[in-house]
Amino acid sequence: MTQLIGLFPTPVMRVEGLIGPADVDALASEVADRTSLTNAYSDLLSHTPVAGDQSDTLLSRLGALVLPKVAEFGEVLFGEALSWQIKEIWVNVLEPGGHQAIHTHANSFISGVVYLTPAHPSANIVFHKAIGGSGFIFGNTNPGARINAFNGGKFAMPQTGAGDLVMFPSYLLHEVPVNKGGRRISVAFNAIPDRLDNFGYAIHFS
Ligand SMILES: [Fe+2]
């Protein structure tokens, strides 16, 4: 018997249809014209200011909807049912031609996105392996090489629909390539647990 064992995989959770169609449409029309900040790398991407989840009724409603799934994902990440809170939440409006540069989310453990419109296939979120991280410095990416989970350096989410939620560890590099479809509206958030305890060395977050 030959076994191939995937060690230390990175979890990404996708929840299809978390928000029902009527709520999605209502949220999309409410938030679409609220973005007042232009992205530093793409002037076709705009955001609302980052809000605490209590400071905005609409966003706090959405935060409450995603929180059970955040706790479920957190249990995968840390092996324990912890008490989670949405620390920041904001709206992204990506116009045709816009993109989001590669980045991570600092001072956070779980980050996520709720889609309020379908994402055009060109503008699905793409996750990257850590640049300069562990692994060979040599590579073998060429037309004859078959990409798999072990040699690939990036992963594009399959089609995401309006109402879907995607969550990932906040350290994971991600980007949105140039949007060749219509206006794409999403709500992003960062979440933290109340505490982590490593062999009695605990740290609390608030
Ligand atoms: Fe992000």
Side-chain angles (χ1 to χ4, degrees), residues 81-139:
L82 299 168
S83 176
W84 286 82
Q85 66 164 297
I86 306 292
K87 187 166 67 79
E88 293 110 12
I89 189 163
W90 65 97
V91 179
N92 306 298
V93 175
L94 185 66
E95 302 291 353
H99 72 283
Q100 189 158 45
I102 191 166
H103 65 284
T104 59
H105 293 209
N107 298 345
S108 173
F109 291 93
I110 292 177
S111 296
V113 186
V114 176
Y115 295 90
L116 298 184
T117 59
H120 185 266
S122 61
N124 282 328
I125 188 168
V126 174
F127 297 104
H128 290 256
K129 248 184 199 174
I131 295 169
S134 60
F136 299 115
I137 303 300
F138 300 101

Side-chain angles (χ1 to χ4, degrees), residues 3-10 129 134-136 138-141 146-155:
Q3 277 187 300
L4 186 62
I5 301 169
L7 295 179
F8 315 126
T10 306
K129 248 184 199 174
S134 60
F136 299 115
F138 300 101
N140 190 50
T141 305
R146 290 185 303 281
I147 302 301
N148 62 34
F150 301 105
N151 62 41
K154 60 182 179 180
F155 172 84

Side-chain angles (χ1 to χ4, degrees), residues 48-94:
T48 56
V50 169
D53 110 350
Q54 300 313 320
S55 59
D56 182 300
T57 316
L58 180 71
L59 295 181
S60 91
R61 220 171 67 218
L62 189 59
L65 284 172
V66 302
L67 202 54
K69 287 290 167 189
V70 169
E72 189 180 325
F73 187 53
E75 197 165 346
V76 174
L77 275 179
F78 293 111
E80 187 181 358
L82 299 168
S83 176
W84 286 82
Q85 66 164 297
I86 306 292
K87 187 166 67 79
E88 293 110 12
I89 189 163
W90 65 97
V91 179
N92 306 298
V93 175
L94 185 66

